[in-house]
Amino acid sequence: MNKKVTSKEELLIKAKELVKEGGLKNLDMRKIASKSNIALGSTYNYFESKSDLINQTIESIFKEVMSKSYSSFTSDSFIDAIYNLYISIKELSTKYPSFIKDHTIYASKDGYEIMNKYLTHIKLNLLNVLKKDSKVDETAFNNVLTKEGYVTFIFNNLNQALTQDNYNIDLLIEVIKKTIYKKGN
């Protein structure tokens, strides 16, 4: 084995390559060491365990999602934000084919905390877009149907849609139009 010095970032790049090739189930310390041309023991300088490797890889992929979907949150249109977020995540699911379906299976408790941090961030950004969308009918919301609850409902449906191979986002967009937008918009 090559004893060259590497970095955690380089190892995460290799880990994401393994995820591309075979999903999160394809990740383990031996494969990372082999792919990086380093000794197996060296991987433990960067990751405490396989679980840590998986969690940090999940976080790295979620960072990509956030980076790619950031432009979704600069919109003044909730519908555009949802559509653009869907497209961004769909593109990443093409890059990492089984990630959307598998990340909850392989994550540890720490991995769930990482995921929740990013998912909460996405929902807060969507809520901000919803609040500034001037075409939204404010009377659509009340004590039961709050903006926060609506964003969670739509986001959960978006996540579910992303696990289906041939989902058409137009259905969710139409539901949004019919439930919260002023007539004629």
Side-chain angles (χ1 to χ4, degrees):
M1 282 291 136
N2 183 352
K3 305 271 189 214
K4 75 174 190 171
V5 178
T6 192
S7 69
K8 182 181 274 190
E9 290 75 24
E10 290 172 1
L11 293 176
L12 285 171
I13 289 168
K14 300 295 184 187
K16 291 190 295 186
E17 288 174 9
L18 287 169
V19 172
K20 284 179 197 176
E21 295 165 8
L24 287 168
K25 67 181 179 284
N26 198 34
L27 274 183
D28 67 44
M29 302 298 254
R30 287 188 191 286
K31 288 180 182 173
I32 290 295
S34 174
K35 197 162 188 71
S36 303
N37 294 317
I38 61 172
L40 175 61
S42 296
T43 61
Y44 289 93
N45 292 328
Y46 303 97
F47 308 104
E48 295 174 8
S49 63
K50 178 180 177 179
S51 180
D52 186 37
L53 169 64
I54 289 171
N55 291 339
Q56 290 195 43
T57 303
I58 288 171
E59 181 169 25
S60 182
I61 292 171
F62 267 106
K63 284 180 181 177
E64 266 189 73
V65 169
M66 291 305 297
S67 172
K68 206 150 174 47
S69 62
Y70 178 75
S71 63
S72 303
F73 310 129
T74 60
S75 174
D76 287 337
S77 166
F78 185 69
I79 286 177
D80 289 348
I82 292 294
Y83 181 79
N84 292 332
L85 179 61
Y86 174 80
I87 296 300
S88 295
I89 296 172
K90 199 71 174 165
E91 286 172 3
L92 277 170
S93 70
T94 301
K95 186 174 181 181
Y96 305 105
S98 64
F99 181 75
I100 298 292
K101 293 178 183 174
D102 290 351
H103 72 279
T104 56
I105 296 169
Y106 293 97
S108 68
K109 181 182 175 210
D110 291 339
Y112 275 103
E113 290 175 13
I114 291 166
M115 287 184 292
N116 283 331
K117 176 179 83 172
Y118 285 97
L119 296 178
T120 298
H121 186 71
I122 290 170
K123 286 192 282 189
L124 285 173
N125 280 309
L126 287 172
L127 180 61
N128 288 334
V129 173
L130 177 63
K131 287 178 177 178
K132 67 182 181 180
D133 189 336
S134 62
K135 295 180 180 178
V136 168
D137 181 0
E138 293 296 324
T139 65
F141 300 100
N142 56 38
N143 292 343
V144 176
L145 181 60
T146 63
K147 288 181 179 181
E148 293 81 0
Y150 189 77
V151 166
T152 298
F153 175 79
I154 295 298
F155 186 70
N156 289 345
N157 278 278
L158 179 64
N159 277 333
Q160 184 63 35
L162 288 162
T163 65
Q164 299 173 16
D165 293 329
N166 294 320
Y167 183 79
N168 184 346
I169 189 64
D170 295 336
L171 173 64
L172 186 59
I173 297 297
E174 193 64 24
V175 168
I176 294 169
K177 285 179 185 176
K178 299 274 186 199
T179 56
I180 65 166
Y181 277 87
K182 298 172 186 168
K183 302 297 178 225
N185 284 322

